[in-house]
Amino acid sequence: MSLKHIVSRENPRFKALKKLCQSGRERRREGLALLDGMHLIETFAARGGSIESLIVSDSGALRGEIAGYLAALPPTAEVLQFADPLFADLAAVDTPSGIMALIRQPRPAHMLDQEADAVLLDGVQDPGNVGSILRSAAAAGFRQVLLSADCAQVWSPKTLRAGMGAHFALDLFESSDLCAFLAGYRGVSLVTMPAASASLFTTDLRRPLAWIFGSEGGGVRPETVAAAQLQLSIPMPGSAESLNAAAAAAVCLFETVRQRLP
């Protein structure tokens, strides 16, 4: 492997990575993303992903799992080794993992399919919720996810961390026109609404579905609700008034799985 040791915050590579961590605009412009931790890196590699550069901390390079991974790299692999304080500046967590990978943001492997299951996110702005919904979608066997332009970025460090590798099992379409997709959708589109008379648990979910989930505060936009074919409620006999976006999505997606079991 080709190893470069970096100790100065004035180093151009450090500055570029720091900007990438902090700026969604920079990630979009460069088409790059940072994977933080061995789990994400190994999941990406297992699905055939190609790593541009590896970034390790001085202390991380000495840890057993990371050291073993580095030792097995081909001679052409680029590794940037940062002093611990510099690596901590890049990390999005209080306890840095010790290793990151710089990658090109994967493009969807398939075209949008208006006859297949889909998950539509309308203004879900919390990256933790977006990542959790992606994780539930991948686990439930949904392949395509469309996100409106004001959703949290799918390739931000926080969304990637919450997704736990689900990103690499999905076709992700950011800045999508949800209403345009729904206008041509040939399955059944559904949105959850507290006042809806039809219950999630008594509705037939065995057909191709487009599930729509909205923002944490305002829910799904009125124009998106109007474009959906069915409005359903999630029965909540307890005292809570609502579920957060990620919890509601998990309930709906796995009720779909339950109904489709043989």
Side-chain angles (χ1 to χ4, degrees), residues 37-38 55-57 59-73 87 96-100:
M38 283 302 309
I55 302 101
V56 297
S57 65
S59 59
L62 301 176
R63 297 176 197 164
E65 183 182 21
I66 296 174
Y69 180 76
L70 295 176
L73 291 174
F87 189 93
S97 66
I99 187 168
M100 298 181 189

Side-chain angles (χ1 to χ4, degrees), residues 43-197:
T43 302
F44 177 69
R47 292 188 171 271
S50 177
I51 292 171
E52 303 268 315
S53 303
L54 284 165
I55 302 101
V56 297
S57 65
D58 284 345
S59 59
L62 301 176
R63 297 176 197 164
E65 183 182 21
I66 296 174
Y69 180 76
L70 295 176
L73 291 174
T76 55
E78 180 184 60
V79 178
L80 306 176
Q81 185 167 324
F82 286 95
D84 284 355
L86 272 67
F87 189 93
D89 279 353
L90 300 177
V93 292
D94 292 335
T95 305
S97 66
I99 187 168
M100 298 181 189
L102 180 68
I103 66 165
R104 291 271 161 203
Q105 296 175 14
R107 295 182 179 276
H110 307 87
M111 300 290 288
L112 272 176
D113 186 346
Q114 291 183 305
E115 296 182 354
D117 288 330
V119 172
L120 281 62
L121 303 186
D122 189 18
V124 182
Q125 296 176 344
D126 180 80
N129 278 338
V130 171
S132 295
I133 294 171
L134 297 185
R135 193 175 178 184
S136 292
F142 283 65
R143 177 179 55 77
Q144 55 184 354
V145 179
L146 292 78
L147 302 96
S148 65
D150 55 343
C151 283
Q153 281 193 335
V154 292
W155 300 108
S156 75
K158 290 182 179 180
T159 308
L160 278 160
R161 188 168 67 252
M164 291 292 290
H167 288 65
F168 313 126
L170 299 167
D171 291 326
L172 303 170
F173 299 91
E174 292 191 279
S175 298
S176 291
D177 185 333
L178 304 186
C179 290
F181 177 83
L182 293 170
Y185 189 63
R186 291 186 284 279
V188 178
S189 52
L190 313 96
V191 62
T192 61
M193 301 289 289
S197 58

